[in-house]
Amino acid sequence: MGTVIMHNVVSVDGFIADEKDDVGPLHEWYFSGDTPITGSDDPEFDHSGGGSGFRVSRASAGYVRSMWDAIGVIVMGRRLFDQVNGWEGRPPTGEHVVVVSHRPKPEGWHPEASYHFAGTVTDAIAKAQELAGERAIAVNAGDVGGQILAAGLVDEVAMDVVPVVFGAGKRYFGDIDGQVLLEDPHVVVQGDRVLHLKYKVRR
């Protein structure tokens, strides 16, 4: 089965957005470098709206490319789905998306897109594993990600740490109850205005 990776960009003090769901400067490093993530200005990965695509530092490009190439499925919560309208049926990476929600997919919403809705985090990961095969599953951090971690269903935690302090907001691990031990980071990559870290979850 594919590796389940909880992943997000995060502030130094552990927030993925402020109290109004604004990400502030957290994603600026995606557009401030000189290296396209895909090796060229591929419009498939241009979600900036400005036609320039993602351009990061050379170190970040290598790391992000390998991450994106490995992902087959994204698991997200309904709140994020509604905020971004499911990326209009075109996820930034991977071929499939599983949304944790008690509400079904909106009627008539992008019927061509491989988006699936599951009522529980356990069902969501089971569906994601079915769709992913041997490819990785990326779980968006936040409340749903924290629930999946607490359920023992996450294999790795990946954090793109940006040097900013929010003070309050939406926590990377949501409202997780109890401790989860991680191994020492097995990936540490210093980019420009971001530090990429990956930890295996201790079993």
Side-chain angles (χ1 to χ4, degrees):
M1 292 188 296
T3 302
V4 179
I5 305 171
M6 184 176 175
H7 176 238
N8 230 91
V9 182
V10 60
S11 69
V12 170
D13 56 342
F15 295 99
I16 59 175
D18 68 15
E19 293 169 313
K20 297 180 180 179
D21 287 318
D22 189 338
V23 298
L26 287 180
H27 293 175
E28 288 179 359
W29 63 274
Y30 272 123
F31 306 101
S32 62
D34 57 8
T35 307
I37 289 174
T38 58
S40 64
D41 286 320
D42 187 342
E44 178 183 353
F45 294 100
D46 181 14
H47 294 267
S48 67
S52 61
F54 293 122
R55 300 182 73 84
V56 297
S57 68
R58 186 175 301 249
S60 288
Y63 172 79
V64 175
R65 279 180 200 150
S66 66
M67 282 279 288
W68 285 12
D69 286 346
I71 292 168
V73 182
I74 292 174
V75 177
M76 66 193 304
R78 183 59 181 254
R79 184 172 182 177
L80 179 58
F81 173 85
D82 289 342
Q83 284 174 343
V84 301
N85 197 29
W87 302 296
E88 299 298 340
R90 296 180 63 241
T93 185
E95 292 78 43
H96 314 279
V97 173
V98 179
V99 182
V100 181
S101 175
H102 295 297
R103 290 178 286 140
K105 181 164 68 172
E107 188 174 350
W109 184 89
H110 293 284
E112 78 288 353
S114 181
Y115 278 58
H116 309 265
F117 287 64
T120 69
V121 295
T122 304
D123 289 345
I125 294 300
K127 183 63 178 179
Q129 292 284 17
E130 173 190 326
L131 294 167
E134 296 301 315
R135 300 189 71 192
I137 296 163
V139 174
N140 283 112
D143 288 335
V144 166
Q147 292 171 34
I148 294 172
L149 179 66
L153 300 173
V154 171
D155 300 309
E156 296 184 6
V157 171
M159 309 176 85
D160 300 323
V161 183
V162 174
V164 60
V165 175
F166 273 29
K170 187 175 180 183
R171 297 183 178 278
Y172 181 98
F173 294 103
D175 293 324
I176 191 168
D177 186 20
Q179 293 183 353
V180 176
L181 291 177
L182 308 177
E183 301 292 352
D184 290 335
H186 64 282
V187 175
V188 180
V189 177
Q190 175 66 63
D192 292 341
R193 303 298 296 167
V194 64
L195 177 65
H196 308 287
L197 301 170
K198 288 181 77 172
Y199 305 83
K200 293 184 185 299
V201 177
R202 182 172 292 183
R203 300 298 187 192

